[in-house]
Amino acid sequence: TKYSWMAAVGTAYYISGDPQIASLTFVPRAGFTGTASIPYTATNADGTSFSGQIDITVEPVTSSAFFNDLSGASSETLAAVDFLFNRNVVGGLGAGRYGPQEAIRRGDFCLMLYRAFQFSADGEVAPFSDVPQGAYYTQAVQVLRSLGIVNGTGGNRFEPSANISRQDAALMIQRALRAAGIAAPDGSPTLLGNYGDGVLTAAYAQGAMAGLIQLELLPASWIQLWPSVPLTREDMAVLL
């Protein structure tokens, strides 16, 4: 992926050299508001040092800077959609529309994951029989297959035009995190009990869904998991 490391307490950063101070980027979790304080100790060329604190204030988001159909959306959704649009991960539907409640197709979700994580694998694996060469999502599907993030639906088929379910999206996100070198363990099945319909999660996706609950990555608006329900473009943005 584009980002090869995360900032850590105790690590020295340099004006020149690796890792560089200029490479540090603060990215708040979708929906976060408030002030984050980062203490630091700096060392001058003569060996003397001084300490300070960087305060970063994140104001609540009340509207989208790019789309006109997100009125009433949560701050979490607005921040996520605009962040991903700014980085060319997601696009609109034309005429200023984002289509927050429209379902995401499997091929499109692969494209969003591919862009968000900026995977660089060559994707040289046998193609799925129903993924046409030259489609806008073909390279993304192939790369994700080469990384073990997608396996298809059986019979060497992927069904790229079918809507992706919430539980399948959770499994793909867990695998994508792992492929990027980010810890994403299976969660305890008991966590599914926090939701009234958690028991409806398919066996193959229970670990991934519970893992995202454990990592607090599920949208705050999810009162129920609705594991087999299609993922919407709104929820997709918050998940990514």
Side-chain angles (χ1 to χ4, degrees), residues 175-189:
R175 290 172 175 171
L177 289 169
R178 290 174 173 177
I182 301 171
D186 283 351
S188 169

Side-chain angles (χ1 to χ4, degrees), residues 93-117:
L93 303 180
R97 293 181 58 247
Y98 178 71
Q101 296 306 314
E102 295 198 19
I104 286 280
R105 293 179 295 184
R106 291 169 57 83
D108 288 333
F109 189 66
C110 283
L111 182 60
M112 305 309 175
L113 274 182
Y114 174 69
R115 289 173 174 172
F117 284 88

Side-chain angles (χ1 to χ4, degrees), residues 22-238:
S23 297
L24 290 171
T25 302
F26 177 78
V27 181
R29 181 192 295 264
F32 171 83
T33 58
T35 300
S37 298
I38 305 173
Y40 67 87
T41 299
T43 303
N44 294 312
D46 61 5
T48 60
S49 62
F50 60 93
S51 298
Q53 178 172 289
I54 299 172
D55 293 324
I56 303 174
T57 300
V58 180
E59 301 289 346
V61 180
T62 58
S63 64
S64 170
F66 308 106
F67 302 105
N68 57 30
D69 61 346
L70 290 171
S71 59
S74 67
S75 177
E76 179 183 50
T77 295
L78 292 168
V81 170
D82 280 10
F83 177 83
L84 293 179
F85 181 79
N86 242 330
R87 285 152 182 78
N88 298 313
V89 174
V90 302
L93 303 180
R97 293 181 58 247
Y98 178 71
Q101 296 306 314
E102 295 198 19
I104 286 280
R105 293 179 295 184
R106 291 169 57 83
D108 288 333
F109 189 66
C110 283
L111 182 60
M112 305 309 175
L113 274 182
Y114 174 69
R115 289 173 174 172
F117 284 88
Q118 300 190 31
F119 289 121
S120 58
D122 56 26
E124 291 183 1
V125 293
F128 289 109
S129 61
D130 59 346
V131 175
Q133 291 297 316
Y136 64 89
Y137 53 77
T138 299
Q139 182 179 15
V141 172
Q142 288 297 99
V143 169
L144 265 57
R145 188 180 195 185
S146 72
L147 293 171
I149 296 171
V150 298
N151 296 319
T153 56
N156 197 37
R157 292 176 55 80
F158 184 69
E159 300 182 36
S161 296
N163 294 333
I164 189 166
S165 66
R166 287 181 167 194
Q167 61 188 4
D168 284 355
L171 183 58
M172 288 172 61
I173 287 175
Q174 182 194 48
R175 290 172 175 171
L177 289 169
R178 290 174 173 177
I182 301 171
D186 283 351
S188 169
T190 59
L191 292 172
L192 300 176
N194 295 337
Y195 297 83
D197 61 348
V199 296
L200 300 178
T201 305
Y204 68 83
Q206 287 180 3
M209 189 72 87
L212 296 192
I213 295 172
Q214 186 171 294
L215 292 171
E216 300 182 352
L217 294 180
L218 294 187
S221 61
W222 284 19
I223 300 173
Q224 299 274 44
L225 290 180
W226 291 315
S228 61
V229 169
L231 184 74
T232 64
R233 287 171 56 83
E234 176 180 24
D235 289 337
M236 174 275 297
V238 176

